[in-house]
Each structure stands twice: as structure tokens, then as C-alpha cells.
Amino acid sequence: MSDFSSIVPLLACPETLSPLTQEGDTLKNEQGTAYPIVDGLPRLLTPTKSEEEEKVRQKMQKFYEKFTFPGYDGIDSPGVLMDKAQKSGFGRWVDQAVSPMATVLEVGCGTGQMTNFLGLVGTRKVIGVDQSIASLTLGQKFKEQFDLKNVSFVQGNIFALPVKPNAVDVLICSGVLHHTPDPYGGFKELLKRVKPGGYIVIGLYNTYARIPLGLRKCLFTCTGNAFRWVDAHMRRKDVDSSKKEIWFADQYKNPHESWHSVDEVLKWFEETGVEFLSGVPNIGGMVEGETPQHQKLFSAHPRESSLQHVMKQLGWMFSIGREGGLFVLTGKKK
Ligand SMILES: C[S@@+](CC[C@H](N)C(=O)[O-])C[C@H]1O[C@@H](n2cnc3c(N)ncnc32)[C@H](O)[C@@H]1O
């Protein structure tokens, strides 16, 4: 039997938000409803309230039960995971920004690479939530194999999150909200779980950076997926073919996605009392002690004008656009 005593105080019933207690292989709410724990994964997934939105969620769940993203190919030890994350720049910056004592929640963690990576610092408490059991199972396998006691995976829905309000120091949600029918509504749900003074890290498809990809998508659709080599990722020699198939499906065959601009997300921040801190790629210049190789994600960066943001994002077509066009903004909950 898995012991969830260290995270149960942070969890809540996804339907009533009442506290949960562990009884054997179940988590029970105050009304006696029991949620099973199967193979070390608490099953706390409940539907999105609106029927239309629930239909989209189910479609997305089916997709990610088949295409487990990002997978673990070639990552067969904590050392390799650490090496990969450190090399990615972003992984290294997140690790440097997140306190070793922090409670971290990653929502839409997929196969949990980031969750497990942050959990390599044993003093952090890290929880990964996703709706896809197939993805979570891969994360759980890595966690168990390398005995990461401070890491937990939980099945849940962003729109019925099984986590108490004001529970975590850092919330990470990257590559997820744009696959939901209500990204801003999802953002607000996530923010509720962050402690005042805590940090939120949001990664979304960028409206401008994704234009070339949108054009390639039309090309592939019209030609029955011929010319797949036009995508730079599909030409990479360091990525194996099954990983490339998952990438192709995720980027070009995804049942639901939306695109977002920097100023749109900054407006979400303003409307919900979140202080903008930093953007990746950088959108407002550097702060003291920073270099292009080392960005301080949780330090307040200057902001440029909307016009400057548009110019920067147009440039992203030729940089991050080649790898999916995902940009990240970090903020601090006031
Ligand atoms: C593109 S993957 C991103 C995985 C990971 N964050 C990363 O960056 O590698 C999107 C993930 O979001 C999850 N997801 C989408 N909608 C969700 C929802 N409503 N609730 C929970 N997870 C959701 C999917 O199951 C999938 O694993």
C-alpha cells in the first residue's frame, strides 16, 4: 500500500474541496466518497462541469492516453534526466529558481519529466497532476525505480483540481492550458492553489511563433503527411523515431489547441493580481547578475511596450517557432 500521508494535507476532494483522508488503498472525503489508489496513483479525476468542455477534455484525454508526452526515451537514470534538464536552459533555470524547501505542483505534468527532475532535490515536495493514466504511469515508474519519496503523481482535471486552495509555493503548467477549451478559466483555477507570495509558471503556444507551424500543418493535411521532413524536429538525428511520431501527433494532429500572445497573458496576470516577473524567451531585458545563459525566473524583470512585444514575438517564428513555439511567463501571486 502506498503511503500518501505527506501530501494528503494538500489534497482536496475534486468535487467538494473538502479534506481527504487515506484509508487503505482509497482516499475518502468527509461525505464518505472513496477515490481508489491504483498502482500508486490516486484516481481523483472528475469531469469538467460544463458538458461541452467535458467533451473536449475527454477527447484530449483519449489522445494523451495514446501519445504519452514527452516520454522518457533515453532517460534511464536521474543522472541522464538531470543532464537533459540542465542542458535545456529552461530546466536549469526552473531548478535554480525553485527553493529546495518548496512545495511544487506541476499540472498537466504528462509523463512527469519536470516533476521527477525537480524531485531530485529530496527536500522539495513535488506533486504532478495529469488526466492521462498512461502518462502518469511512466512518471510513477521512474519515481519508483529511483525511490523519489518526495515525488507523487495524482490523476486529476485542471477544472476540478484535487488540491486545496493556497497550498503550494510554486505551480508549473507548461504546454497544457492551450489544449483546454477555457485557458483563462484554467489559469484562474491553477492560481487559486498558489499561496499568496507564491510563484506561477505558465507555458503556452505563442500566436506569432506558431504561424510557420500552422502553415506546415496545412501542407501536411493537404498532402496526406508527405513532406514531414519540412519540420526541423523531424529531421533531428538525436531523437529516435517513436519520439518523433509522438512529437508529430502532438504538434500537427492534436484535437484541440489555441494560441496566445504575451500581452494576453500579461492581462490575465493584471486581472488576477499576479505580478509579472520574467519571460522565456526574455521579453523585457536582463536584471542584475543575469546572462543569456542564466535567467532568473523569479526576479522581477522590466516590461517593454506592446509594440516591442509584437516585434519580439514575430522574431520567435525563427527561433522557438522551430520547436513548437512555446513561451513561458512567470509571475508572483500578491
Ligand atoms: C503537451 S502535454 C505537456 C506535458 C508536460 N507539461 C510537458 O511540458 O512536457 C499536455 C498534457 O496536458 C494534459 N492535460 C490536458 N488537459 C488536461 C486537463 N483538463 N486536466 C489535466 N491534464 C490535462 C494532457 O493529458 C497532457 O499530458
Side-chain angles (χ1 to χ4, degrees):
M1 187 192 83
S2 317
D3 175 17
F4 284 90
S5 53
S6 70
I7 66 157
V8 160
L10 302 171
L11 298 181
C13 168
E15 284 159 306
T16 62
L17 277 186
S18 69
L20 293 171
T21 46
Q22 182 169 5
E23 283 183 25
D25 270 337
T26 61
L27 292 177
K28 272 195 176 163
N29 72 6
E30 282 172 339
Q31 294 72 34
T33 308
Y35 297 90
I37 301 168
V38 182
D39 297 330
L41 295 172
R43 304 287 185 104
L44 292 166
L45 181 80
T46 55
T48 303
K49 286 205 173 71
S50 131
E51 221 174 280
E52 275 309 297
E53 293 185 5
E54 174 58 10
K55 270 191 206 147
V56 179
R57 193 203 63 73
Q58 286 181 10
K59 218 191 273 180
M60 293 311 303
Q61 185 180 3
K62 200 167 162 209
F63 181 84
Y64 282 109
E65 293 295 358
K66 183 168 176 204
F67 298 104
T68 49
F69 193 87
Y72 274 90
D73 81 307
I75 302 174
D76 53 8
S77 71
V80 178
L81 178 61
M82 173 96 69
D83 199 44
K84 188 195 161 195
Q86 296 283 353
K87 275 192 190 131
S88 83
F90 178 66
R92 188 173 68 244
W93 301 338
V94 173
D95 191 37
Q96 285 164 346
V98 174
S99 151
M101 303 313 291
T103 298
V104 184
L105 175 64
E106 189 188 8
V107 181
C109 64
T111 58
Q113 272 194 30
M114 178 64 91
T115 302
N116 276 325
F117 166 63
L118 291 175
L120 294 178
V121 174
T123 46
R124 286 185 189 132
K125 194 178 284 184
V126 193
I127 306 172
V129 173
D130 202 282
Q131 62 184 357
S132 158
I133 283 293
S135 300
L136 290 168
T137 300
L138 292 178
Q140 177 75 5
K141 193 172 147 214
F142 189 96
K143 165 219 147 78
E144 282 175 3
Q145 194 175 355
F146 300 106
D147 202 23
L148 305 180
K149 290 196 173 59
N150 54 325
V151 172
S152 309
F153 290 100
V154 173
Q155 188 191 26
N157 174 4
I158 296 171
F159 296 94
L161 262 182
V163 178
K164 280 187 186 154
N166 303 325
V168 302
D169 301 301
V170 180
L171 190 143
I172 300 171
C173 182
S174 183
V176 184
L177 288 174
H178 50 233
H179 292 310
T180 71
D182 180 13
Y184 182 41
F187 169 77
K188 287 191 275 189
E189 284 305 312
L190 299 174
L191 190 62
K192 280 184 200 159
R193 273 66 189 186
V194 181
K195 288 179 190 167
Y199 300 96
I200 186 156
V201 178
I202 295 292
L204 287 165
Y205 284 156
N206 184 256
T207 310
Y208 301 83
R210 239 173 130 74
I211 291 172
L213 194 143
L215 296 173
R216 287 196 294 275
K217 189 172 177 174
C218 293
L219 172 72
F220 300 149
T221 309
C222 298
T223 60
N225 298 334
F227 310 110
R228 295 196 328 169
W229 48 267
V230 171
D231 181 293
H233 197 89
M234 299 305 281
R235 295 197 303 273
R236 276 176 62 171
K237 298 238 166 2
D238 58 326
V239 178
D240 81 18
S241 58
S242 69
K243 182 97 200 273
K244 281 182 184 167
E245 287 312 315
I246 293 177
W247 161 266
F248 192 80
D250 191 46
Q251 296 297 313
Y252 295 104
K253 303 283 164 198
N254 209 299
H256 182 90
E257 69 173 61
S258 53
W259 298 357
H260 304 271
S261 70
V262 163
D263 278 49
E264 180 188 351
V265 182
L266 288 175
K267 193 157 171 265
W268 295 0
F269 280 15
E270 273 159 26
E271 286 175 0
T272 54
V274 172
E275 179 195 355
F276 161 74
L277 294 179
S278 187
V280 181
N282 202 322
I283 55 165
M286 286 192 254
V287 293
E288 213 187 312
E290 237 180 21
T291 64
Q293 286 74 40
H294 173 212
Q295 195 170 326
K296 295 182 174 179
L297 294 187
F298 293 169
S299 296
H301 284 66
R303 266 174 70 166
E304 292 179 331
S305 69
S306 294
L307 182 63
Q308 282 166 315
H309 289 160
V310 170
M311 299 311 285
K312 280 223 161 108
Q313 290 169 98
L314 284 169
W316 291 354
M317 279 198 265
F318 310 100
S319 54
I320 56 166
R322 293 167 67 87
E323 290 291 325
L326 191 96
F327 73 110
V328 175
L329 292 188
T330 67
K332 185 173 184 172
K333 182 171 168 178
K334 287 179 191 153

